[in-house]
Amino acid sequence: MFSWLANAWRVPELRRRVLFTGMILALYRLGSWIPAPGVDSASIQSYFNNKGGTLLGFLSVFSGGALSRFSLFALGIMPYVTASIILQLLTVVIPKLEQLQKEGEAGYAKINQYTRYLTVVLAAAQAAGYGYLFKRQGALSANSGRLVLIVVTLTAGTVLLMWMGELITKRGIGNGISLLIFASILSAAPAGVSAWYNGGPMEKLFFPLIAIGIVVAVVFVQEGQRRIPIQYAKRMVGRRLTSGQSTYMPLRVNMAGVIPIIFAAALLALPQTFGSFSPNAQTFINRHFQYSSINYILVEAVLIIVFTYFYTAVQFNPVDQADNLRKYGGYVPGIRPGPPTAQYFDRVLTRLTLPGSLFLAAIAVLPSVFIKYGGFSQANSRALGGTSVLIAVGVALDTMRQMESQMMMRSYEGFLK
């Protein structure tokens, strides 16, 4: 592996791409420490000290701690991710968006434009909500003019991050948006290592073993797929009769990715967040629905399973796949084209989604289990599993694949001349 990385570093173009990606990520981390105009970072940080189990604590993880400092990039790239998810869901119910999706590159460019517009709206609304919340809680002292300036600054920061992510995708290595989230998650690694070093004997002993086991399990499931054999019939192309080809359609065990965990965690964090405005509601929530309690863990697991099935159905439409296969003369051996093929795809996908959803639920609730029963600190539990490990491993695998493809292009260049 290290020899392969050394060979990749010797390629001038690949080296420039890696350095450009590192420079953009460094600028992103620098902006995460620069406070917004008129903001006292110490007051905001003290307000966040006991917000680990709320929606604010959850969102602060994806901003690399920038939200807890209310810096220029406090919103992070999550408004863009949310806008992308909303547009994907609306594609199913709005015929115009579905038609754009089928138009190829031109349609995708139009959908990306809509995504950018929606990102600006969501970022502005989110920034205004944060400003109002912090001012009401006494963590931010600002008049109306200063609040407008903060909203504009944070919205511009999100737009800048969106542009930086697109630059990485175009001129760097890997998916820029994913790498920005990846950098935010890795920024919490030093706190996790420090908590492990200062933890008890059991935590020092079992933390590395459990962490390695979770990473191995995530890689195993993320790379797992069911390959459905596809056979293409012979066709006349001009005056030539082309022979039938055999290939396969890969169906991943975890087609929904990390989206179900984000949906479930955000939904479950809302009661804790709303409870902070009402002492009576907060007492009821702490008694019956506390973070890391049995009720919380069970409900979170059920929501993740439900959202996994829902998002998988949005991502993969068996009817459309069967129609496209029949259109190009392909069929599954032993299955008739058309509705029987769609039913077969739906049956296979349902069976695949069950272990994938159970795996996501198990990975997501592990931090809560380790906090409650293992005596682990919250910093360690976040580093162990859940959304952080899934995103980190997925982005790392995707980036390595792209670097490998770049190396293969250079290796075969001599045959093309």
Side-chain angles (χ1 to χ4, degrees):
M1 175 180 177
F2 292 103
S3 62
W4 175 77
L5 291 176
N7 293 332
W9 185 256
R10 295 190 185 100
V11 180
E13 182 180 352
L14 195 57
R15 183 171 63 249
R16 287 194 297 268
R17 286 177 174 270
V18 172
L19 291 176
F20 180 81
T21 303
M23 180 190 67
I24 296 295
L25 294 180
L27 292 176
Y28 165 56
R29 292 308 305 158
L30 177 63
S32 300
W33 286 91
I34 300 176
V39 173
D40 186 4
S41 298
S43 300
I44 303 294
Q45 187 72 51
S46 62
Y47 174 75
F48 266 83
N49 287 336
N50 298 321
K51 298 296 179 183
T54 65
L55 180 60
L56 295 178
F58 174 75
L59 294 176
S60 182
V61 175
F62 288 95
S63 65
L67 181 58
S68 61
R69 294 182 290 270
F70 219 37
S71 64
L72 297 179
F73 296 150
L75 302 181
I77 199 63
M78 291 308 293
Y80 179 81
V81 177
T82 305
S84 301
I85 295 173
I86 292 175
L87 261 297
Q88 288 181 3
L89 297 178
L90 290 179
T91 303
V92 183
V93 297
I94 299 180
K96 183 179 179 181
L97 292 178
E98 186 177 3
Q99 183 180 0
L100 286 175
Q101 193 177 33
K102 295 179 179 180
E103 290 180 359
E105 292 296 330
Y108 281 114
K110 200 69 175 179
I111 293 178
N112 288 335
Q113 186 177 2
Y114 294 153
T115 304
R116 295 188 187 102
Y117 293 153
L118 184 58
T119 300
V120 174
V121 175
L122 292 178
Q126 197 171 349
Y130 287 150
Y132 175 76
L133 173 63
F134 295 152
K135 183 179 180 180
R136 182 175 179 178
Q137 297 297 319
L140 179 65
S141 57
N143 53 24
S144 300
R146 184 62 58 83
L147 282 177
V148 171
L149 178 61
I150 291 174
V151 170
V152 173
T153 302
L154 297 186
T155 305
T158 298
V159 174
L160 179 61
L161 283 182
M162 182 171 57
W163 177 68
M164 291 166 63
E166 293 177 354
L167 278 181
I168 293 178
T169 304
K170 184 178 180 180
R171 301 177 55 185
I173 290 292
N175 183 279
I177 304 301
S178 301
L179 283 174
L180 291 177
I181 302 177
F182 177 76
S184 301
I185 292 174
L186 285 189
S187 65
V193 174
S194 176
W196 167 73
Y197 182 78
N198 298 323
M202 296 294 292
E203 189 173 2
K204 289 184 178 180
L205 176 63
F206 287 104
F207 175 76
L209 300 177
I210 297 175
I212 293 175
I214 290 177
V215 171
V216 172
V218 169
V219 173
F220 180 76
V221 175
Q222 287 291 98
E223 294 298 299
Q225 57 182 226
R226 167 74 182 275
R227 297 183 175 182
I228 299 179
I230 302 296
Q231 181 70 37
Y232 286 93
K234 297 180 179 180
R235 294 188 303 170
M236 289 294 298
V237 180
R239 296 183 179 181
R240 298 178 57 186
L241 178 65
T242 60
S243 60
Q245 297 179 352
S246 298
T247 181
Y248 63 87
M249 176 183 293
L251 296 181
R252 305 184 69 88
V253 176
N254 180 22
M255 295 188 65
V258 75
I259 301 302
I261 297 181
I262 296 177
F263 280 175
L267 186 61
L268 285 174
L270 288 177
Q272 290 282 346
T273 305
F274 293 149
S276 61
F277 296 99
S278 175
N280 296 330
Q282 186 67 45
T283 302
F284 176 82
I285 292 172
N286 291 336
R287 182 182 303 173
H288 300 284
F289 206 64
Q290 189 178 9
Y291 183 71
S292 300
S293 65
I294 296 297
N295 294 335
Y296 185 97
I297 292 174
L298 292 178
V299 174
E300 182 182 17
V302 172
L303 286 178
I304 289 174
I305 293 174
V306 172
F307 284 139
T308 301
Y309 274 95
F310 172 75
Y311 196 73
T312 301
V314 172
Q315 290 289 99
F316 186 90
N317 191 333
V319 177
D320 291 344
Q321 295 294 332
D323 291 341
N324 292 333
L325 198 61
R326 182 175 58 178
K327 184 186 303 182
Y328 292 101
Y331 62 93
V332 179
I335 306 295
R336 297 185 61 182
T341 301
Q343 295 175 4
Y344 174 75
F345 285 159
D346 184 68
R347 184 168 63 252
V348 172
L349 191 63
T350 302
R351 294 178 179 177
L352 278 179
T353 306
L354 179 60
S357 62
L358 294 177
F359 168 77
L360 285 180
I363 288 294
V365 302
L366 275 178
S368 302
V369 173
F370 288 134
I371 290 176
K372 187 173 183 63
Y373 301 104
F376 285 22
S377 62
Q378 191 173 24
N380 265 341
S381 66
R382 285 178 178 173
L384 273 176
T387 310
S388 303
V389 172
L390 282 171
I391 293 178
V393 172
V395 173
L397 291 175
D398 181 66
T399 304
M400 291 191 65
R401 288 194 199 99
Q402 293 200 23
M403 292 184 66
E404 185 178 3
S405 65
Q406 293 282 342
M407 288 294 297
M408 292 181 65
M409 289 172 58
R410 271 71 184 174
S411 299
Y412 289 112
E413 186 178 2
F415 296 99
L416 299 177
K417 289 183 179 179

